[in-house]
C-alpha cells in the first residue's frame, strides 16, 4: 500500500502542475503526465501502469503507447 500511495501522490503532484499549465493543450495533458512519471521511473514499479491508467481514466494500452513512444525517442 505504501507503493500505491507513492504512485498516487506522485501522480497527483504531476497532474496538478500539468493541469495548471495553460501552455499544455488539453489533448496533450495525459501524454505530458505520463512523460513526467516515466522520467521519474514510476513505471519501473510493478502494476504502476494499471494504477496510473485507472487514476487518469484511460486504458492501460494508452499508457503503454506513450511509454513506447518515449523509449523510441531515447534511442
Amino acid at each position: 500500500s505504501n507503493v500505491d500511495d507513492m504512485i498516487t501522490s506522485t501522480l497527483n503532484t504531476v497532474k496538478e502542475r500539468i493541469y495548471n499549465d495553460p501552455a499544455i493543450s488539453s489533448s496533450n495533458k495525459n501524454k505530458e503526465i505520463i512523460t513526467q512519471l516515466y522520467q521519474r521511473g514510476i513505471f519501473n514499479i510493478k502494476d504502476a501502469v494499471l494504477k496510473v491508467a485507472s487514476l487518469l481514466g484511460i486504458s492501460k494500452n494508452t499508457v503503454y503507447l506513450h511509454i513506447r513512444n518515449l523509449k523510441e525517442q531515447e534511442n
Side-chain angles (χ1 to χ4, degrees), residues 10-51:
T10 305
L11 173 64
N12 288 338
T13 304
V14 168
K15 196 160 116 177
E16 188 177 333
R17 188 169 349 128
I18 304 279
Y19 276 55
N20 291 324
D21 186 343
I24 301 169
S25 71
S26 55
S27 59
N28 279 334
K29 289 197 189 301
N30 283 340
K31 180 181 176 189
E32 189 58 37
I33 290 168
I34 291 165
T35 300
Q36 293 200 13
L37 293 175
Y38 176 79
Q39 290 167 344
R40 293 172 187 217
I42 288 292
F43 297 114
N44 296 330
I45 300 168
K46 185 176 182 291
D47 295 333
V49 168
L50 298 174
K51 181 97 177 144

Side-chain angles (χ1 to χ4, degrees), residues 49 53 59-66 68:
V49 168
S59 76
K60 70 178 194 307
N61 293 334
T62 303
V63 177
Y64 281 122
L65 172 78
H66 290 312
R68 236 187 344 269

